[in-house]
Amino acid sequence: MDFVKYHGLGNDFILVDNRSSSEPSLTPAEAVQWCDRHFGIGADGVIFALPGQNGTDYTMRIFNSDGSEPEMCGNGIRCFARFVADLEGKADNFASYRIHTLAGVITPKLQPNGQVTVDMGLPRLTPAEIPTQLAPGAEKVVAQPLEVAHQTWLVTCVSMGNPHCITFVEDVAAIPLESIGPLFEHHPTFPQRTNTEFIQVVRPDYLKMRVWERGAGITLACGTGACAAVVAGVLTGKSDRRATVELPGGCLEIEWSATDGRIYMTGPATRVFAGKL
């Protein structure tokens, strides 16, 4: 089977041309083997480019490195857009696609400078949409106390089609992600588990972020997490609506539009190599 490796700020993926079938050509267990960094290709996930549904251009499915299937992936969809543009021979054009995902229709657009801008849609803020049990009814989860590892954290919860728990800290470098990340991910208040973002506010227009991703663990970048972080920053009065989010792998530009309420993410997607397994 042919594949191409891409990364978005170090968040790396194996891309598979799956346009001849409506189902992924690998099982979740096979995806785990492919993602193994010692005995496989190595990646945070395997992404499949399938035929579009309901008038969309393509369908994106992704299996994480642990075999689970997330609803969406921000860095992944930028890599996906670059991949299908390469397949179509449109890599140097202003190609734009409507992509069917488990989180809804997402629209990425390639830029001539190698960046990809993605209309990530509207953030979802009610507990049922996230989902979380931290607040009742339609009340937003903003700066709510959560006990993790014998410590009280003030967390804000956002769904970008997948769940995020955001907490603001003085120094992101001091957070023991390896030990505390799994405790957030599997906390009983999150019935579908959660991604967790630790955010340091450098300026209202510049945030530093480290992330523990649901199903992948520590990654160098998380696009949906960066979007959720800016939403949480605005809701808590800590961030502007347009901000640079610095991740270990590089920076993303995020805007929560005051005009249409949608989230726009801009960042790179880089081809690494192609192969056959």
Side-chain angles (χ1 to χ4, degrees):
M1 186 182 299
D2 294 321
F3 69 88
V4 185
K5 180 83 176 285
Y6 287 77
H7 78 86
L9 300 179
N11 194 193
D12 58 341
F13 304 95
I14 301 163
L15 277 293
V16 177
D17 182 358
N18 211 127
R19 293 176 294 174
S20 62
S21 172
S22 60
E23 289 296 323
S25 51
L26 296 176
T27 66
E30 289 170 330
V32 171
Q33 294 175 346
W34 279 40
C35 289
D36 190 288
R37 297 190 184 277
H38 300 285
F39 298 101
I41 301 164
D44 291 321
V46 181
I47 297 177
F48 305 89
L50 295 88
Q53 303 179 38
N54 303 320
T56 58
D57 299 303
Y58 294 99
T59 296
M60 182 178 94
R61 296 276 299 276
I62 177 172
F63 293 148
N64 283 325
S65 58
D66 72 347
S68 61
E69 182 171 9
E71 300 85 352
M72 234 292 286
C73 175
N75 290 314
I77 202 163
R78 295 199 316 278
C79 293
F80 183 99
R82 183 69 62 188
F83 175 59
V84 296
D86 288 344
L87 290 176
E88 295 178 351
K90 296 180 179 178
D92 296 328
N93 296 338
F94 289 93
S96 180
Y97 300 100
R98 297 181 71 250
I99 309 300
H100 177 86
T101 77
L102 295 181
V105 177
I106 306 294
T107 307
K109 182 176 182 180
L110 276 67
Q111 306 293 344
N113 60 358
Q115 301 282 296
V116 181
T117 296
V118 185
D119 177 352
M120 298 288 286
L122 300 170
R124 303 163 195 180
L125 302 174
T126 66
E129 291 173 313
I130 290 163
T132 179
Q133 300 165 357
L134 266 176
E139 180 183 337
K140 295 176 184 176
V141 181
V142 178
Q144 291 291 319
L146 179 67
E147 294 292 326
V148 178
H150 308 292
Q151 182 177 344
T152 300
W153 306 77
L154 295 181
V155 303
T156 299
C157 296
V158 178
S159 173
M160 293 302 306
N162 56 352
H164 293 273
C165 173
I166 302 99
T167 185
F168 292 89
V169 299
E170 290 296 320
D171 180 8
V172 290
I175 299 298
L177 267 186
E178 297 87 349
S179 59
I180 203 165
L183 300 180
F184 273 90
E185 178 182 355
H186 296 280
H187 195 284
T189 194
F190 301 110
Q192 295 179 15
R193 299 186 291 158
T194 189
N195 300 278
T196 308
E197 288 78 32
F198 298 89
I199 309 298
Q200 177 182 340
V201 179
V202 179
R203 301 187 307 269
D205 65 346
Y206 197 99
L207 311 176
K208 282 187 175 182
M209 170 178 140
R210 292 178 68 203
V211 59
W212 178 273
E213 288 200 53
R214 178 187 60 165
I218 296 174
T219 61
L220 295 177
C222 177
T224 55
C227 294
V230 171
V231 172
V234 172
L235 293 176
T236 56
K238 299 179 184 296
S239 170
D240 295 340
R241 297 188 76 96
R242 178 179 291 184
T244 298
V245 181
E246 178 189 325
L247 305 113
C251 292
L252 291 171
E253 302 298 326
I254 309 295
E255 179 184 5
W256 186 12
S257 173
T259 302
D260 60 17
R262 303 176 76 83
I263 307 290
Y264 297 91
M265 171 189 63
T266 299
T270 304
R271 179 184 170 113
V272 183
F273 64 87
K276 185 186 295 286
L277 190 64

